[in-house]
């Protein structure tokens, strides 16, 4: 009996390991097709890897349906795959899912759910989510307005090189939102965003005659 139990456990481990290997192989093939610009060929491999539980593939498949890469755009299907990846802890998927809830894209608009997922992604250090979480706090979307926490989120995003975070942090210093008014810091952060091609930052620089 013990030998039978051990054999069954070993077989289960082997099957799991084999499934993981297959998922990784399918994901690798999908990426190679994507890199070559062949989204149609990539799609079935992303789907296979996603169904096998690969969070990275689930995120990629969500993007395919989100942006219509290799398949007709389907917001609801994009949300379905973002949700599976988000539940698995993928920070990029969490940020994308939050944006879907914030905009009512493929799912009923729900600012509380958007805040929840932005926060989950931000807790993992995702720069996009940190900026978006700052916007939630600044605008009181899904949470009570809190300019101090908003500026802290913007700063974390800015320090990671996120242009939106840099722009929003600069504006926080400019208007004294959550931080003391500081024109030198405002100019510093807005200029860093502008240097990355952020159009609003560039316009802000021009409006203030900053060079």
């Amino acid at each position: 009996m013990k030998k039978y139990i051990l054999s069954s456990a070993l077989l289960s481990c082997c099957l799991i390991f084999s499934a993981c290997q297959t998922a990784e192989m399918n994901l690798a093939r999908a990426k190679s097709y994507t890199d070559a610009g062949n989204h149609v060929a990539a799609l079935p491999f992303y789907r296979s890897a996603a169904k096998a539980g690969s969070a990275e593939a689930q995120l990629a498949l969500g993007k395919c349906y989100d942006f219509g890469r290799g398949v007709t755009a389907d917001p609801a299907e994009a949300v379905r795959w973002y949700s599976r990846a988000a539940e698995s802890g993928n920070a990029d998927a969490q940020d994308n899912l939050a944006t879907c809830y914030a905009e009512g894209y493929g799912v009923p608009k729900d600012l509380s759910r958007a805040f929840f997922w932005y926060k989950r992604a931000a807790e993992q250090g995702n720069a996009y989510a940190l900026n978006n979480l700052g916007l939630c706090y600044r605008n009181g979307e899904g949470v009570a307005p809190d300019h101090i926490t908003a500026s802290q989120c913007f700063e974390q995003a800015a320090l990671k090189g996120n242009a939106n975070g840099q722009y929003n942090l600069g504006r926080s210093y400019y208007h004294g939102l959550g931080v003391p008014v500081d024109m030198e810091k405002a100019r510093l952060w807005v200029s860093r965003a502008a240097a990355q091609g952020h159009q609003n930052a560039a316009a802000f620089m021009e409006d203030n005659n900053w060079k």
Side-chain angles (χ1 to χ4, degrees):
M1 175 63 77
K2 289 184 179 180
K3 185 180 294 186
Y4 174 77
I5 294 174
L6 288 173
S7 297
S8 297
L10 182 60
L11 177 60
S12 297
C13 290
C14 289
L15 290 173
I16 293 171
F17 179 74
S18 178
C20 290
Q21 278 193 318
T22 300
E24 290 177 1
M25 291 172 61
N26 283 332
L27 180 59
R29 291 189 68 178
K31 286 181 176 180
S32 67
Y33 280 122
T34 297
D35 292 341
N38 193 340
H39 299 294
V40 173
L43 188 69
F45 293 103
Y46 277 134
R47 193 189 315 279
S48 295
K51 289 182 176 180
S54 168
E56 186 178 355
Q58 291 164 354
L59 168 64
L61 188 57
K63 288 181 178 180
C64 289
Y65 283 107
D66 193 347
F67 302 107
R69 296 172 181 167
V71 67
T72 302
D74 186 334
E77 195 68 5
V79 168
R80 183 166 83 90
W81 288 107
Y82 284 154
S83 295
R84 290 184 62 173
E87 292 289 355
S88 296
N90 185 286
D92 289 333
Q94 291 170 346
D95 179 63
N96 288 354
L97 179 60
T99 299
C100 290
Y101 277 113
E103 299 178 354
Y105 178 81
V107 69
K109 187 172 182 177
D110 189 332
L111 296 181
S112 294
R113 294 297 294 169
F115 172 78
F116 172 82
W117 284 113
Y118 280 140
K119 192 169 187 295
R120 288 279 296 274
E123 287 170 348
Q124 295 193 66
N126 184 284
Y128 295 100
L130 282 164
N131 176 70
N132 289 327
L133 186 64
L135 293 175
C136 289
Y137 279 112
R138 188 188 71 182
N139 300 327
E141 296 176 342
V143 65
D146 184 341
H147 289 297
I148 293 177
T149 302
S151 65
Q152 292 171 344
C153 291
F154 292 146
E155 182 176 27
Q156 290 181 62
L159 290 172
K160 289 179 177 290
N162 182 274
N164 286 325
Q166 292 169 344
Y167 173 63
N168 287 323
L169 179 60
R171 285 178 58 87
S172 295
Y173 278 114
Y174 186 90
H175 295 290
L177 297 174
V179 291
V181 171
D182 189 323
M183 290 301 163
E184 288 188 11
K185 290 183 178 179
R187 182 173 180 172
L188 169 67
W189 287 110
V190 173
S191 67
R192 288 189 179 181
Q196 294 196 63
H198 195 288
Q199 294 184 353
N200 288 340
F204 197 81
M205 293 282 290
E206 186 176 347
D207 290 343
N208 285 279
N209 294 314
W210 290 345
K211 296 182 179 179

